[in-house]
């Protein structure tokens, strides 16, 4: 990012660029977004409102829960002690079956008959309301398949407990896991048209309104964001922000397309599983693209407070490290592995930045004048000196001991948390990114020889993860995509091969094949690079990957140059920005390599582009912190000698 211009105001070329960029983004979104009238849930929900109360049956008869009640009535025990697939206790011998209880099955069949009547009424209503053409054909075909399966499972007198239970799960759109014993309502199942048609209609109308507002929202924030960054830091910073904004907008457009068109032609996804996604992604988009601006604005308004916070952070490394790692561990267990993974990456980047800003200069001078202090023998001597009097040791050992004492304990704690995340929570992606940050920190402070030594131990630890079933399954998916037990890559390969050389293009993506087989649900997160290949073409995607790597590298170089400044506060901000951007670079490389089947998939999304908070956080905070450092550096250059902001 370039410095603020001399006058402190945004130049006329910069203002012209912001206006042009905002107009280009707005027009881009206007012509590439899907049209609100294509939201198929509108007509389907309107038809469902007509069929919501078939044959005068009370609405409560069509609410989910029949399968759960049948299991509880048949088992006679708390739900956590039952295997609902068999209607028996978990302690019951395998192979045993539930005796048929006539009264229980009669009540369950009555509920099933109500659902079947509801589906028939819905079919009749849709047949008169859907326009003629392809959509009408596959929607009605999917309904007929649902009805045929329900009638087969519930056919008396052959239907027993297991058949009725499975039929109720299918009719209610509920998924049951015999491993966890949990019932999960599927939001996009066809059953939602019967038990909550008003909610489906409200969601479809909200999606339609959001698609209309999308060009205005993106254009306005493009103007405000690029203009503010340019006014604060200059044209170069505005250009960097514009690239970041354009990438986020590309991801938003693809999510918008999925929210309308995903599932078209498939009898499985009659309701769109991504119909809810655009509203959520708009919030992710707005928070992400405004975060750098908000950090920069706070730095401008509260420079002294920012300086005090940075000074406190440099004086309390241990306390901050304990707090960040404890928070990451708590989020893993109490919220979700995804939240814990993101917190761990941020914590490790923050810890590495603080340690680097405090000790990088000393480490460099030590390597320059006492190179043996960083040999393995020197580090072992340094470790020994932690337990001996420093007056009896040579200078090399004392230097190494001071560095190990400064951050060795917290580095060890961080490595333990990474190991727990990989082995206990199966967070392979987050662990890999955090481990890369650790390797970067070790390289900066101790050099390549010690890095090679700990790499050996890291490979030994990684061999334990390779023995887990999850990793073995992903290796099998990488090596044998067409025959693996999971068909994700097989569908992605067919999707990419069927696309033109230049890609389908925005607005023309083939989310489902002509046979009705759709892309995996994770396509907007884990498989986003494969989706880009189908959208832009293989060559364009390869060029985009190269530009992403080059962009992160140049930003890291700019942050690295800032580390050479004197003092503590400004290098601290530069160092944190460096590791945040480095973690984003590593995540980008891992995601692309996993999609290209050059390494096992890790479950990571593509930074900035993929759907969800985890794809936006590190980049947005990294750019914001880099802007903050640039602001502090610019202010220091105009203050009188000896004063700090």
């Amino acid at each position: 990012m370039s410095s603020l211009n001399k006058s402190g105001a945004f130049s006329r070329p910069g203002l012209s660029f912001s206006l042009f960029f905002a107009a280009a983004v707005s027009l881009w979104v206007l012509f590439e977004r899907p049209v609100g009238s294509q939201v198929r849930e509108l007509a389907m929900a309107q038809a469902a409102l007509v069929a919501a109360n078939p044959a005068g049956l009370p609405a409560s008869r069509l609410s989910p829960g029949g399968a759960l009640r049948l299991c509880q009535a048949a088992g006679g025990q708390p739900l956590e002690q039952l295997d609902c697939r068999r209607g028996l206790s978990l302690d019951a011998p395998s192979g045993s079956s539930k005796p048929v209880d006539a009264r229980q099955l009669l009540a369950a069949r009555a509920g099933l008959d109500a659902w079947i009547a509801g589906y028939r009424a819905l079919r009749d209503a849709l047949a008169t309301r859907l326009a003629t053409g392809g959509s009408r054909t596959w929607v009605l075909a999917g309904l007929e398949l649902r009805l045929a399966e329900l009638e087969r499972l519930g056919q008396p007198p052959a239907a027993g407990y297991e058949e009725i239970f499975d039929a109720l799960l299918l009719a209610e759109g509920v998924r049951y896991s015999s491993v966890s014993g949990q019932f999960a309502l599927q939001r996009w199942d066809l059953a939602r048209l019967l038990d909550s048609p008003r909610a489906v209609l409200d969601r479809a109308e909200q999606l339609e309104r959001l698609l209309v507002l999308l060009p205005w929202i993106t254009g306005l924030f493009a103007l405000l964001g690029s203009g503010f960054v340019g006014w604060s830091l200059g044209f170069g910073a505005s250009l960097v922000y514009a690239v970041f904004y354009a990438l986020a907008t590309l991801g938003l457009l693809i999510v918008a397309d999925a929210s309308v068109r995903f599932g078209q032609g498939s009898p499985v996804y009659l309701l769109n599983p991504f119909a809810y996604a655009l509203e959520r992604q708009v919030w992710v988009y707005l928070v992400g693209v405004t975060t750098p601006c908000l950090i920069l604005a706070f730095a401008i308004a509260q420079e002294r407070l920012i300086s005090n916070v940075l000074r406190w952070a440099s004086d309390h490394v241990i306390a901050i490290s304990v707090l960040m790692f404890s928070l990451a561990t708590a989020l893993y267990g109490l919220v979700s592995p995804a939240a814990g993974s993101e917190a761990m990456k941020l914590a490790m980047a923050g810890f590495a930045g603080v340690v680097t800003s405090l000790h990088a200069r000393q480490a460099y001078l030590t390597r320059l004048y006492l190179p043996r202090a960083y040999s393995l023998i020197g580090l072992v001597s340094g470790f020994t000196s932690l337990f001996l009097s420093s007056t009896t040791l040579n200078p090399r050992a004392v230097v190494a001991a001071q560095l190990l004492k400064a951050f060795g304990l917290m580095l060890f704690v961080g490595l333990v948390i990474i190991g727990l995340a990989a082995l206990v929570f199966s967070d392979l992606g987050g662990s890999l990114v955090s481990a890369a940050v650790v390797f970067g920190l070790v390289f900066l402070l101790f050099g390549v020889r010690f890095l090679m030594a700990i790499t050996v131990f890291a490979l030994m630890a990684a061999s334990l993860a390779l023995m887990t079933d999850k990793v073995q399954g992903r290796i099998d998916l990488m090596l044998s995509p067409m025959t693996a037990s999971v068909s994700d890559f097989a569908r992605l390969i067919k999707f990419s091969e069927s696309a033109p050389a230049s890609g389908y293009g925005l607005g023309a993506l083939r989310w489902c094949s002509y046979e009705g087989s759709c892309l995996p649900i994770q396509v907007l997160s884990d498989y986003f690079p494969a989706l880009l290949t189908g959208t832009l073409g293989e060559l364009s995607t390869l060029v985009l990957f190269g530009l992403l790597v080059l962009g992160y590298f140049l930003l890291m170089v700019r942050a690295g140059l800032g580390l050479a400044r004197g003092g503590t506060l400004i290098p601290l901000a530069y160092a944190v920005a460096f590791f945040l951007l480095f973690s984003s670079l590593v995540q980008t490389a891992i995601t692309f390599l996993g999609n290209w089947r050059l390494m096992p998939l890790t479950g990571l999304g593509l930074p900035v582009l993929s759907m969800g908070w985890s794809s936006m956080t590190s980049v947005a905070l990294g750019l914001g912190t880099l802007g903050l450092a640039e602001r502090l550096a610019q202010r220091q250059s105009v203050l009188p000698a000896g004063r700090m902001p």
Side-chain angles (χ1 to χ4, degrees):
M1 293 187 178
S2 63
S3 301
L4 183 68
N5 50 32
K6 299 296 184 181
S7 63
F10 201 20
S11 63
R12 182 173 296 178
L15 178 61
S16 300
F17 169 76
S18 293
L19 290 171
F20 170 77
F21 175 67
V25 168
S26 184
L27 290 174
W28 181 31
V29 175
L30 177 65
F31 289 107
E32 297 295 346
R33 84 195 195 287
V35 182
S37 59
Q38 295 175 327
V39 180
R40 62 179 181 272
E41 283 81 1
L42 285 171
M44 296 177 71
Q46 291 167 356
L49 287 173
V50 177
N53 194 16
L57 293 172
S60 59
R61 296 284 296 275
L62 295 177
S63 61
L68 185 149
R69 290 191 296 270
L70 175 61
C71 175
Q72 290 176 324
Q77 298 182 35
L79 192 62
E80 59 271 13
Q81 300 177 14
L82 292 174
D83 178 3
C84 289
R85 290 288 180 190
R86 300 181 298 157
L88 296 172
S89 170
L90 291 173
D91 300 329
S94 59
S96 57
S97 59
K98 177 69 181 177
V100 177
D101 188 311
R103 290 175 299 176
Q104 295 170 359
L105 291 183
L106 184 62
R109 279 200 185 101
L112 181 59
D113 289 340
W115 279 97
I116 291 175
Y119 281 116
R120 287 172 178 164
L122 177 61
R123 176 194 59 191
D124 298 338
L126 285 174
T128 59
R129 287 177 173 265
L130 286 180
T132 59
S135 61
R136 184 177 187 272
T137 301
W138 61 262
V139 168
L140 293 179
L143 258 171
E144 292 291 353
L145 288 174
R146 173 70 59 95
L147 277 169
E149 183 65 12
L150 291 176
E151 291 169 352
R152 184 189 67 82
L153 290 171
Q155 184 74 30
Y161 170 84
E162 294 184 12
E163 290 80 10
I164 295 296
F165 179 77
D166 289 338
L168 284 172
L169 288 179
L170 179 62
E172 297 170 349
V174 174
R175 182 177 298 166
Y176 171 71
S177 171
S178 56
V179 177
S180 63
Q182 298 294 318
F183 289 82
L185 200 69
Q186 298 183 79
R187 288 185 293 181
W188 60 83
D189 192 88
L190 188 61
R192 304 292 79 80
L193 282 175
L194 293 179
D195 60 44
S196 53
R198 174 56 61 181
V200 176
L201 181 61
D202 291 343
R203 186 179 64 190
E205 291 175 342
Q206 186 172 1
L207 176 58
E208 186 181 35
R209 291 191 295 268
L210 189 56
L211 289 170
V212 174
L213 294 174
L214 207 57
W216 299 94
I217 294 173
T218 53
L220 176 62
F221 277 84
L223 177 62
L224 296 177
S226 62
F228 176 73
V229 171
W231 172 80
S232 304
L233 298 175
F235 177 75
S238 181
L239 185 60
V240 170
Y241 180 83
V243 173
F244 167 64
Y245 197 99
L247 289 171
T249 304
L250 174 61
L252 183 65
L253 280 172
I254 294 177
V255 172
D257 193 81
S259 69
V260 173
R261 297 192 176 100
F262 190 92
Q264 287 183 354
S266 171
V268 177
Y269 297 112
L270 298 184
L271 290 185
N272 193 333
F274 294 114
Y276 70 94
L278 182 59
E279 181 182 1
R280 178 173 178 268
Q281 188 62 20
V282 166
W283 284 110
V284 173
Y285 174 83
L286 293 180
V287 171
V289 298
T290 56
T291 293
C293 301
L294 293 176
I295 294 176
L296 186 56
F298 190 69
I300 294 173
Q302 298 290 337
E303 291 183 14
R304 185 172 296 277
L305 177 61
I306 290 290
S307 299
N308 292 334
V309 169
L310 293 176
R311 186 174 290 108
W312 184 87
S314 65
D315 294 337
H316 299 83
V317 180
I318 301 298
I320 292 177
S321 301
V322 170
L323 178 63
M324 290 190 300
F325 290 137
S326 300
L327 178 61
T329 306
L331 289 176
Y332 267 115
L334 300 178
V335 181
S336 68
S341 175
E342 195 61 26
M344 182 178 67
K345 288 186 290 185
L346 296 178
M348 194 59 70
F351 169 74
V354 173
V355 171
T356 300
S357 67
L358 293 177
H359 302 291
R361 187 181 296 272
Q362 298 93 314
Y364 171 75
L365 293 175
T366 303
R367 286 203 303 271
L368 186 63
Y369 295 107
L370 294 172
R372 292 187 180 180
Y374 282 97
S375 65
L376 290 178
I377 296 177
L379 290 171
V380 171
S381 300
F383 181 78
T384 305
S385 72
L386 294 175
F387 308 97
L388 300 175
S389 173
S390 60
T391 58
T392 63
L393 298 171
N394 60 64
R396 293 193 299 271
V398 173
V399 172
Q402 292 305 312
L403 285 174
L404 288 172
K405 186 185 298 184
F407 72 94
L409 176 61
M410 292 316 302
L411 181 60
F412 174 76
V413 172
L415 290 173
V416 170
I417 294 176
I418 291 174
L420 291 175
L423 298 176
V424 177
F425 298 103
S426 298
D427 179 22
L428 305 178
S431 301
L432 196 56
V433 174
S434 298
V437 172
V438 172
F439 288 170
L441 173 63
V442 170
F443 173 74
L444 288 176
L445 296 185
F446 293 109
V448 68
R449 284 185 292 181
F450 188 63
L451 177 63
M452 294 174 62
I454 69 165
T455 300
V456 174
F457 291 100
L459 292 175
M460 295 172 59
S463 63
L464 296 176
L466 291 175
M467 298 171 61
T468 61
D469 293 337
K470 184 173 183 179
V471 177
Q472 288 293 332
R474 291 182 176 180
I475 292 175
D476 182 48
L477 184 62
M478 176 186 69
L479 298 177
S480 307
M482 307 306 291
T483 59
S485 57
V486 179
S487 64
D488 288 3
F489 261 131
R491 286 178 281 169
L492 289 168
I493 291 172
K494 292 180 180 178
F495 167 75
S496 299
E497 290 178 348
S498 62
S502 58
Y504 288 112
L506 287 172
L509 284 170
R510 293 289 306 173
W511 298 101
C512 300
S513 67
Y514 292 108
E515 294 80 18
S517 175
C518 297
L519 293 173
I521 293 294
Q522 298 86 355
V523 70
L524 292 178
S525 53
D526 305 10
Y527 302 123
F528 210 93
L531 185 58
L532 285 176
T533 302
T535 306
L536 306 176
E538 186 174 353
L539 178 60
S540 297
T541 303
L542 186 61
V543 171
L544 178 61
F545 172 70
L547 292 176
L548 285 173
V549 171
L550 178 62
Y552 284 124
F553 177 75
L554 292 177
L555 291 173
M556 289 167 54
V557 168
R558 183 66 190 92
L561 293 175
L563 281 169
R565 299 182 64 93
T568 302
L569 305 186
I570 297 176
L572 174 58
Y574 276 119
V576 172
F578 175 89
F579 282 104
L580 286 171
L581 294 169
F582 177 62
S583 67
S584 300
L585 171 61
V586 172
Q587 184 170 334
T588 299
I590 290 174
T591 307
F592 269 96
L593 293 176
N595 277 255
W596 290 337
R597 293 188 291 117
L598 298 176
M599 65 176 292
L601 283 171
T602 57
L604 290 174
L606 182 60
V608 185
L609 289 158
S610 287
M611 185 176 69
W613 294 102
S614 61
S615 68
M616 190 69 74
T617 308
S618 297
V619 183
L621 290 177
L623 290 176
T625 308
L626 183 58
L628 182 150
E630 290 285 306
R631 175 69 186 186
L632 292 178
Q634 184 275 330
R635 288 290 297 156
Q636 186 186 53
S637 66
V638 299
L639 288 175
R643 289 188 59 190
M644 286 290 294

